[in-house]
Amino acid sequence: MLVSDCGTSRNNNLGVVAILGMGGVGKTTLAQLVYNDEKVEHHFDLKAWVYVSEDFDVVRVTKSLIESVVRNTSSSASKVWESNNLDILRVQLKKISREKRFLFVLDDLWNDNYNDWDELVSPLIDGKPGSMVIITTHQRKVAEVARTFPIHKLKLLSNEDCWSLLSKHALGSDEFHNSTNTTLEEIGRKIARKYGGLPIAAKTIGGLLRSKVDITEWTSILNSNVWNLSNDNILPALHLSYQYLPSHLKRCFAYCSIFPKDFPLDKKTLVLLWMAEGFLDCSQEGKMAEEVGDDCFAELLSRSLIQQSNHVGRGKKFFMHDLVNDLATIVSGKSCYRLECGNVSKNVLHLSYTQEVYDIFMKFKSFNNFKCL
């Protein structure tokens, strides 16, 4: 769809491909695969990636698109995206996309208001024919409002594919050659049928089982009561992955809830934060604190609770899947909080906020009463 020349659209030269599916089914992963594809890379003059989320704001998304384009092209243009004037931003977005064939990705779009959508994309209609926007969303109405091509709906994995993905993360292979592994396969296939065909669940459970290649351990996970949880927001598979973490890793993981969704995690910075908070116990390890922190990070990475980004726009950064971020927020309770999420408990220990161009002192006034921060 992206590289074809025959794609007509309602918005002049602009085509919109909507990837639809439930959380954790792989919408962003698919978008990353095509975004990084060599044929796609050579087909477009400009590429940019923006994470949208529930908090849809035309000014913020427009600013993010401009910033992403300027950084990807190493442009020396002034930082016009720091403006909050939508008219100025729209003029700049139109200027940098005019006469160019571009590919923009709007990841995790929730807003189904057509006027908002039209306001966002109207500066893009003067691009070269073949210019494309990919959106990922879990709501059909959003996809129907935005798309110009047929909606690309991602289905859940089959039981066989679930097992294949689980076994590769757990054992590095889906081939079994002895009686012990044959028994593990029988148990593993039963586990694979429990997590509903979601790749994110297969990866996290696979990461959990990787450190427990033992029939008793696998049976314990299969028979866990966690599978009976009925939380619509958090998958039982993710709960299990957290439940089986050592206590020091639970602290490190829960602390990550202070980062907004899709926030690029820098390994070194995160390890330094864990050190500063006293989460890393070096007394029995015989290692420096940084080494212990690196081990903790590697363990969370191996369990897919942290993932490495695989699209060009992120560089060598790491991130947490939205569902994993939700899990971290729940397990951290009232100890960690993000200011933009609303009312903050006075007992909060760790708090973060998203810096704005013109921050006002008044929004921090209530911190005077926080005795545990």
Side-chain angles (χ1 to χ4, degrees):
M1 282 192 241
L2 296 182
V3 299
S4 66
D5 294 325
C6 58
T8 59
S9 73
R10 297 188 300 250
N11 277 328
N12 296 339
N13 297 329
L14 185 64
V16 183
V17 178
I19 302 175
L20 174 67
M22 66 184 296
V25 79
K27 303 182 296 296
T28 299
T29 300
L30 175 60
Q32 289 172 348
L33 283 170
V34 295
Y35 187 85
N36 291 329
D37 185 86
E38 187 176 354
K39 189 186 297 184
V40 170
E41 181 72 35
H42 292 302
H43 186 75
F44 293 98
D45 304 317
L46 287 177
K47 293 201 307 179
W49 184 292
V50 173
Y51 177 74
V52 183
S53 81
E54 298 173 64
D55 183 23
F56 180 88
D57 179 77
V58 175
V59 172
R60 181 180 65 82
V61 177
T62 304
K63 287 166 69 172
S64 298
L65 273 174
I66 296 170
E67 182 179 8
S68 181
V69 168
V70 170
R71 287 180 174 171
N72 287 348
T73 56
S74 301
S75 171
S76 58
S78 62
K79 293 186 177 181
V80 69
W81 64 80
E82 291 185 352
S83 170
N84 285 316
N85 185 308
L86 182 58
D87 291 333
I88 293 175
L89 293 168
R90 284 157 61 91
V91 168
Q92 181 67 10
L93 182 58
K94 187 169 186 174
K95 179 180 177 182
I96 62 179
S97 61
R98 184 190 295 133
E99 308 276 326
K100 291 185 174 67
R101 184 188 290 137
F102 58 80
L103 171 63
F104 294 158
V105 178
L106 302 177
D107 190 21
D108 197 24
L109 186 64
W110 288 62
N111 191 312
D112 61 7
N113 184 301
Y114 179 76
N115 290 331
D116 287 344
W117 170 254
D118 189 61
E119 191 171 28
L120 176 64
V121 299
S122 59
L124 305 177
I125 60 176
D126 290 331
K128 275 187 182 177
S131 292
M132 291 285 183
V133 173
I134 297 174
I135 69 164
T136 69
T137 182
H138 74 283
Q139 296 184 9
R140 175 166 285 276
K141 190 174 180 181
V142 176
E144 289 173 345
V145 164
R147 61 94 183 174
T148 61
F149 283 87
I151 295 170
H152 188 86
K153 184 176 181 181
L154 287 186
K155 298 179 180 178
L156 296 171
L157 297 181
S158 67
N159 286 338
E160 187 63 31
D161 286 339
C162 280
W163 162 241
S164 177
L165 189 57
L166 172 70
S167 62
K168 284 175 181 174
H169 279 277
L171 301 169
S173 170
D174 54 4
E175 298 179 6
F176 295 84
H177 304 291
N178 58 52
S179 57
T180 300
N181 277 353
T182 300
T183 305
L184 284 178
E185 179 178 356
E186 292 174 3
I187 301 169
R189 286 183 177 275
K190 292 178 182 178
I191 293 173
R193 288 196 289 270
K194 282 182 173 284
Y195 51 70
L198 289 176
I200 183 63
K203 290 174 70 175
T204 53
I205 289 295
L208 169 62
L209 296 174
R210 192 178 188 89
S211 59
K212 303 177 181 297
V213 188
D214 176 86
I215 292 174
T216 304
E217 294 279 6
W218 282 39
T219 303
S220 172
I221 290 170
L222 172 65
N223 297 327
S224 171
N225 291 329
V226 175
W227 295 110
N228 300 321
L229 290 176
S230 57
N231 188 319
D232 292 336
N233 297 317
I234 302 298
L235 298 169
L238 300 184
H239 264 299
L240 268 173
S241 295
Y242 171 76
Q243 192 178 75
Y244 278 86
L245 287 175
S247 58
H248 69 286
L249 273 180
K250 285 182 177 178
R251 292 195 301 269
C252 292
F253 172 72
Y255 179 78
C256 292
S257 65
I258 69 168
F259 299 112
K261 289 183 177 180
D262 206 55
F263 186 85
L265 301 174
D266 179 77
K267 177 182 174 182
K268 183 177 180 180
T269 301
L270 184 55
V271 169
L272 290 173
L273 285 168
W274 287 339
M275 289 169 56
E277 298 295 351
F279 293 158
L280 306 177
D281 181 10
C282 309
S283 59
Q284 299 178 1
E285 295 283 344
K287 296 181 178 179
M288 299 291 289
E290 290 92 338
E291 295 176 292
V292 176
D294 287 344
D295 290 344
C296 291
F297 191 93
E299 184 66 20
L300 293 176
L301 188 64
S302 73
R303 294 170 184 251
S304 293
L305 293 173
I306 291 176
Q307 299 181 49
Q308 185 165 8
S309 133
N310 61 359
H311 76 66
V312 176
R314 291 178 186 267
K316 292 185 178 180
K317 293 288 184 180
F318 301 86
F319 70 103
M320 298 176 77
H321 190 278
D322 283 0
L323 293 176
V324 177
N325 187 289
D326 289 338
L327 173 65
T329 300
I330 286 176
V331 300
S332 67
K334 295 182 179 180
S335 66
C336 300
Y337 218 79
R338 299 195 297 271
L339 185 60
E340 62 267 25
C341 291
N343 294 329
V344 184
S345 166
K346 290 184 179 180
N347 296 322
V348 67
L349 301 178
H350 315 290
L351 185 139
S352 68
Y353 79 100
T354 302
Q355 186 175 1
E356 298 174 346
V357 177
Y358 301 107
D359 271 333
I360 57 172
F361 171 74
M362 291 301 292
K363 75 179 185 182
F364 306 111
K365 187 175 180 180
S366 62
F367 291 5
N368 287 333
N369 299 319
F370 288 13
K371 305 302 182 184
C372 304
L373 187 61

